[in-house]
Amino acid sequence: HLFVRPMHAGDIDAVMAVAASLSQAPQWPRSAYEATLGPHSIPQRVAFVAGDRLAGKLAGFAIASLVAGQAELESIAVLKSEQRHGIGRTLLSMLIDHMKSLHAGEFLLEVRSSNHQALALYRILGWVETGRRERYYADPEEDAVLMLLRLG
């Protein structure tokens, strides 16, 4: 009963609630989500939401940008209660396919070094670690793992 579709302006409240429920998710202001959905946003962005069609409830979202043939995962979040049900994998697969259709050659991301669940998912989907940024994150302070997926 999972649905995945492009994010709309009417999804912003639910998206912000998903992000707010997760301490490690980026906490963007409403204006950042609104800018993401703008048809002429710079950089170009792609955003998808996912949820339960029967419950009519949003369970997660993912946002990526595209600059000069290089995609970057900017944010992905799935409600804690809905994790480990394939929602994150489905969102990422949709983003990968969409970025391929836009002729992106590679897809970058960074993730907290302690986020073992996300690291495992990214590796399963083909991302490889390319480096680290020491003490990149605060609260708690920890390294960012840099990863790359070749799309070409």
Side-chain angles (χ1 to χ4, degrees), residues 125-141:
L125 293 175
W127 266 273
V128 294
E129 183 174 334
T130 58
R132 290 185 179 239
R133 290 189 178 130
E134 291 186 26
R135 298 182 305 280
Y136 180 78
Y137 292 105
D139 295 323
E141 185 176 281

Side-chain angles (χ1 to χ4, degrees), residues 47-148:
F48 290 106
V49 295
D52 185 313
R53 190 181 331 278
L54 295 179
K57 178 176 101 168
L58 203 81
F61 68 93
I63 301 169
S65 61
L66 180 63
V67 177
Q70 188 176 64
E72 182 175 352
L73 182 64
E74 293 187 335
S75 186
I76 183 168
V78 176
L79 287 172
K80 190 69 109 180
S81 62
E82 301 298 323
Q83 291 177 4
R84 307 200 58 82
H85 295 123
I87 295 170
R89 178 190 297 251
T90 301
L91 284 164
L92 285 169
S93 295
M94 292 282 292
L95 280 175
I96 290 166
D97 289 345
H98 193 82
M99 289 304 180
K100 284 180 180 177
S101 77
L102 296 175
H103 308 293
E106 55 188 25
F107 209 148
L108 307 172
L109 64 82
E110 62 195 32
V111 59
R112 286 180 178 269
S113 58
S114 66
N115 194 339
H116 303 294
Q117 186 176 325
L119 284 163
L121 175 59
Y122 298 142
R123 287 183 180 118
I124 286 168
L125 293 175
W127 266 273
V128 294
E129 183 174 334
T130 58
R132 290 185 179 239
R133 290 189 178 130
E134 291 186 26
R135 298 182 305 280
Y136 180 78
Y137 292 105
D139 295 323
E141 185 176 281
E142 66 183 293
D143 295 352
V145 177
L146 307 176
M147 302 186 85
L148 168 73

Side-chain angles (χ1 to χ4, degrees), residues 15-36:
V15 163
M16 290 180 73
V18 170
S21 75
L22 301 164
S23 62
Q24 293 187 346
Q27 304 300 313
W28 292 7
R30 172 177 290 282
S31 59
Y33 290 108
E34 290 169 347
T36 293

